[in-house]
Amino acid sequence: MKIALALSGGGFRATVFHLGVLARLAKEERLEHITTLSTVSGGSLCAGLVMALNNNQWPSSQAYLMHVLPAARHILTTRDLKSALIKKVVLNIWDVFDPRANELAELLAKDWGIDINLNQLPESPRWMINSTCYETGKNWRFERFRMGDYLFGYTNDTDYPLSEALAASAGFPGLIGALSLETGGRDWFRYRELADDSLSPGVDRIQKRRTEPIEPAFPTVHLWDGGVYDNHGLEGLVDYNRGWKKDIDFLIVSDAAGRSKPEAYQRGSKALMRIITGVMMDQIRSLRARAILERMRNHKDRGAFLQIGNSCSEVLAAAGKKDEIAEKCAGCLTPLEATQAAEVETDIARLTTKKFELLFRHGFENADYSLYGFSSDFFNFVGYS
């Protein structure tokens, strides 16, 4: 079974939740079945860390559980990207208002060991790293064999640092901000047949499609957090009229975006940020989630939507397995604990061991009861241990 995995944004909350989801898949040796990976922000940091800790290769299930996961836990509970970024701001006080994405890339290379270029990534799984292009307003994707978006154009010249692609994907407005990418020195093109590749069945066909050379419209593009455009990383995986791409048998969406809460009115820039990065982005995520769930419920597209904050009893009840709640949910986090995980702040600061374990366990359990609840013909219930 060819599994596509979409890892959402959400800072380290998302990073650790996704680590739990990967651990659950590894328990049934399903990491070997992942052929396509699409990530945003905290999800991109998760995938980048996993790759770096496994010699820049996608890990086997056993390697993930035995070696990658313990090392990732240590890094995320002992090292603090946020403090390191703030220190750089203090040391360069005249640049205090400049974006910090390039500094984040340096930290990822130095502290996390993410020191390869895109063209050095493995062919499998196909990994799409999603950001948002300011100039075009579209989903800019970094991959092993190309980068760009369908409006600006693409380039196959991908001798570009993976750390910078991850920093662009995680460049949330505020502390980090946009990453500047110079477009000169690379050959750019557009595809002649289709505006997008959402229907293409694989990388081989994408590479063989007819193209036409173009001159970049801008000498520099500014790449922001992928969550501004698509926080689930779904655009490269799904055509909402026709369903999953042809090389995807099962789509798992791991949504750790968190839950917004009522908030007292604050004047000025805080009110504007609340509307733009809160209400509007939340509505975009909601619309995409509904479209994916509609494909799963009413068509032949198989998959699972794992949403942070959903408890075992809620999911099994929705899946029509109320009679199994007492047995299956007895050892799971309570609804209150699931909500607490969803309400962890969106940040890239060092996590306490307690907070890491809460998020990790919730990711593992959420994947366990969600996959079993809606796809028990493909997945067993393994339980957290």
Side-chain angles (χ1 to χ4, degrees):
M1 180 169 62
K2 296 179 180 179
I3 298 176
L5 181 60
L7 304 180
S8 79
F12 280 177
R13 177 188 63 246
T15 300
V16 179
F17 181 87
H18 300 324
L19 289 174
V21 171
L22 292 176
R24 166 58 187 84
L25 293 172
K27 281 289 187 178
E28 281 193 297
E29 298 187 344
R30 299 301 182 94
L31 293 189
E32 291 80 356
H33 296 173
I34 295 173
T35 58
T36 309
L37 182 65
S38 182
T39 64
V40 181
S41 194
S44 296
L45 296 179
C46 173
L49 182 59
V50 167
M51 291 277 201
L53 293 173
N54 194 58
N55 297 317
N56 299 311
Q57 299 291 318
W58 186 247
S60 67
S61 295
Q62 183 177 9
Y64 178 78
L65 294 172
M66 296 295 294
H67 305 293
V68 174
L69 180 58
R73 178 185 283 109
H74 175 75
I75 287 173
L76 291 168
T77 56
T78 60
R79 302 182 191 177
D80 195 331
L81 290 181
K82 182 177 180 179
S83 294
L85 276 180
I86 292 174
K87 182 178 180 181
K88 284 181 173 290
V89 173
V90 173
L91 293 175
N92 298 277
I93 193 65
W94 301 113
D95 299 329
V96 67
F97 296 112
D98 290 348
R100 321 306 316 177
N102 293 95
E103 284 89 344
L104 176 59
E106 292 175 6
L107 291 171
L108 292 174
K110 178 182 177 182
D111 293 352
W112 285 20
I114 300 174
D115 56 4
I116 64 170
N117 290 337
L118 292 173
N119 57 10
Q120 295 173 284
L121 288 171
E123 292 188 17
S124 183
R126 178 187 175 189
W127 182 14
M128 292 174 272
I129 303 166
N130 298 276
S131 63
T132 304
C133 180
Y134 176 90
E135 282 73 13
T136 64
K138 302 301 180 184
N139 172 219
W140 180 288
R141 293 200 291 271
F142 295 93
E143 299 191 56
R144 176 185 59 81
F145 67 98
R146 72 171 185 186
M147 61 182 178
D149 68 50
Y150 73 85
L151 189 58
F152 183 88
Y154 298 96
T155 179
N156 296 134
D157 299 326
T158 53
D159 54 338
Y160 187 80
L162 174 60
S163 60
E164 295 197 16
L166 299 180
S169 182
F172 191 80
L175 175 65
I176 302 173
L179 179 134
S180 299
L181 187 154
E182 304 297 326
T183 61
R186 291 183 168 85
D187 295 324
W188 295 86
F189 63 88
R190 286 199 184 99
Y191 294 109
R192 291 181 180 178
E193 301 93 350
L194 297 172
D196 201 358
D197 66 353
S198 58
L199 301 183
S200 301
V203 173
D204 289 342
R205 179 179 167 184
I206 294 173
Q207 292 174 320
K208 292 177 181 177
R209 280 165 49 193
R210 292 186 300 166
T211 64
E212 56 185 9
I214 61 170
E215 287 296 322
F218 302 95
T220 305
V221 290
H222 300 83
L223 305 174
W224 295 82
D225 184 351
V228 174
Y229 185 87
D230 175 10
N231 198 53
H232 296 115
L234 294 171
E235 186 164 284
L237 305 176
V238 179
D239 177 88
Y240 292 100
N241 291 319
R242 305 189 187 189
W244 309 162
K245 286 173 57 177
K246 293 181 181 179
D247 57 343
I248 297 174
D249 299 323
F250 197 93
L251 171 62
I252 299 175
V253 182
S254 182
D255 181 7
R259 294 182 176 179
S260 59
K261 297 186 294 184
E263 181 179 305
Y265 180 75
Q266 301 180 75
R267 299 179 60 185
S269 61
K270 291 185 177 180
L272 183 62
M273 290 295 289
R274 163 74 169 167
I275 293 296
I276 295 175
T277 63
V279 178
M280 294 176 66
M281 288 177 63
D282 190 52
Q283 180 66 1
I284 293 169
R285 290 194 298 266
S286 178
L287 291 172
R288 289 187 182 272
R290 292 173 192 174
I292 288 294
L293 291 172
E294 194 277 332
R295 296 296 319 180
M296 293 179 182
R297 290 167 179 162
N298 301 323
H299 303 275
K300 295 182 179 180
D301 301 304
R302 298 301 305 270
F305 197 99
L306 321 177
Q307 187 166 39
I308 193 170
N310 286 351
S311 69
C312 181
S313 56
E314 291 171 329
V315 171
L316 292 187
K321 298 181 184 292
K322 291 183 178 180
D323 57 332
E324 299 186 42
I325 289 177
E327 175 192 355
K328 295 291 192 299
C329 300
C332 291
L333 295 175
T334 66
L336 176 60
E337 290 170 320
T339 299
Q340 290 172 340
E343 292 178 349
V344 170
E345 63 279 3
T346 302
D347 211 339
I348 55 170
R350 181 184 67 84
L351 294 167
T352 64
T353 300
K354 182 179 180 180
K355 193 170 290 186
F356 181 99
E357 294 304 330
L358 173 67
L359 290 166
F360 174 81
R361 179 172 179 173
H362 183 42
F364 184 105
E365 291 182 348
N366 193 301
D368 197 21
Y369 49 69
S370 296
L371 291 168
Y372 170 75
F374 292 96
S375 300
S376 56
D377 53 336
F378 286 162
F379 297 92
N380 298 312
F381 189 92
V382 301
Y384 183 79
S385 59

